[in-house]
Amino acid sequence: MVAENHQCLVMTIAGFDPSGGAGIIADLKTFLHFGCRPAAAITSLTFQNSTAVFGVIHETDQSLRAQVLPVIQEHKVAAVKLGMLPTAEIVAEVVSLIHEGYLPAPVIDPVLQSSSGYELAEACAIEALLRELIPLARLVTPNIPEAELLTGLRIEGEQGMRQAAQRLREMGAPAVLVKGGHLKRKSAPGFQQSSENPEEAIDLLDDQGEITAFREEWISAPAVRGTGCILSSGIAACLAQGLSLVESIRLAKGYVTETIRFAQDVSGGD
Ligand code: PLP
């Protein structure tokens, strides 16, 4: 029997980073922040710290299913966030779990590479993600390098972010949030900056053709890891509680900004 609980259960299916900077630990912290009950299934055990990824051991399709089924058979999962999906086998298993009605339409953070340059998804996993999983998403949240890799487009400014989002929608995604944090704000040609605040972090949502730009203060801080994990998990947690997509993104983005500001306060910033 599937138990009802007034606290929404949100599940992350993602990689485990023992240092806690990214992946499942960042996701679970975020679910708790937004008042949700966290659940997690590991796709890959990674070996890393803040400087580098030293290796990975991936789960199999069977071990992923074995993690997910007992949880979803006991509790209703209100929302799902997908992070690192390293192999085509893992992607296919997630697709099956969705088709079988076990998982709701997921928020997909397409984790392809670590900040230090380590490949976290095999080429055939990326192909499977594009072909089979992205059309089943509630939302896909690539950063600029991920959006470029997934679409083959070169993104130079806000217009480029729009084009990449549109391309991903043409590939089947119902909604796409392109995160602009990787754009070099001052040098990017065609990047429209607000005259009041020339240093903004801009994310662009294309929800079935309706465009919303989210602008937040750009905070100069040493690279904070896991911001993509936190954003997508925050969105999933808010969607689980019945908030709209735009409101969920707004709240999750505010929390990412708080997290970066806290990291700046702790380190003293640049
Ligand atoms: N490791 C895992 C398990 C992740 O899920 C991610 C990103 O989502 C990363 C590493 C990459 O994080 P970073 O970009 O901070 O290196």
Side-chain angles (χ1 to χ4, degrees):
M1 205 193 106
V2 174
E4 290 290 340
N5 189 305
H6 43 264
Q7 218 186 358
C8 293
L9 185 81
V10 185
M11 176 177 267
T12 173
I13 300 179
F16 186 76
D17 165 7
S19 75
I24 280 179
I25 295 180
D27 295 341
L28 299 187
K29 283 196 292 195
T30 308
F31 295 161
L32 290 170
H33 171 84
F34 283 101
C36 294
R37 260 184 82 196
I42 296 180
T43 57
S44 182
L45 179 55
T46 71
F47 313 113
Q48 57 178 307
N49 59 22
S50 65
T51 63
V53 177
F54 303 102
V56 288
I57 296 178
H58 301 323
E59 293 294 322
T60 64
D61 48 358
Q62 284 178 20
S63 66
L64 180 66
R65 176 168 286 257
Q67 293 176 74
V68 172
L69 281 190
V71 179
I72 57 181
Q73 282 166 350
E74 193 173 24
H75 301 285
K76 182 173 181 298
V77 176
V80 171
K81 171 252 158 87
L82 302 177
M84 177 181 172
L85 303 176
T87 63
E89 180 183 304
I90 293 271
V91 174
E93 196 55 46
V94 172
V95 168
S96 298
L97 288 163
I98 296 171
H99 279 316
E100 290 164 35
Y102 286 123
L103 299 176
V107 175
I108 303 180
D109 180 20
V111 173
L112 308 179
Q113 214 180 52
S114 72
S115 311
S116 55
Y118 193 97
E119 304 285 341
L120 296 171
E122 295 171 0
C124 53
I126 300 172
E127 273 168 40
L129 175 84
L130 279 172
R131 203 179 45 244
E132 295 170 41
L133 197 48
I134 274 180
L136 303 177
R138 174 73 182 85
L139 175 71
V140 186
T141 64
N143 60 29
I144 298 277
E146 290 159 354
E148 287 187 329
L149 203 143
L150 294 174
T151 62
L153 295 172
R154 183 150 163 62
I155 301 172
E156 301 228 300
E158 205 169 324
Q159 189 55 27
M161 291 168 70
R162 272 176 193 248
Q163 284 164 352
Q166 192 184 341
R167 178 69 59 88
L168 280 164
R169 281 210 316 103
E170 287 161 4
M171 293 159 105
V176 179
L177 180 71
V178 179
K179 300 172 290 189
H182 285 71
L183 280 179
K184 297 245 181 310
R185 269 147 207 81
K186 289 207 161 127
S187 57
F191 200 85
Q192 287 161 19
Q193 296 168 344
S194 137
S195 52
E196 294 122 48
N197 181 4
E199 299 225 82
E200 293 178 315
I202 299 179
D203 297 340
L204 211 98
L205 172 68
D206 180 335
D207 185 8
Q208 300 187 39
E210 194 174 321
I211 307 294
T212 310
F214 298 86
R215 297 168 195 275
E216 279 271 355
E217 176 193 354
W218 173 256
I219 302 168
S220 171
V224 178
R225 299 192 50 239
T227 51
C229 305
I230 297 169
L231 182 71
S232 51
S233 299
I235 296 169
C238 293
L239 288 173
Q241 296 175 73
L243 297 180
S244 71
L245 189 55
V246 166
E247 196 50 27
S248 298
I249 293 170
R250 208 180 300 287
L251 289 173
K253 203 165 147 55
Y255 180 54
V256 171
T257 304
E258 259 178 59
T259 306
I260 297 172
R261 198 190 309 280
F262 178 74
Q264 182 196 44
D265 289 348
V266 170
S267 72
D270 279 339

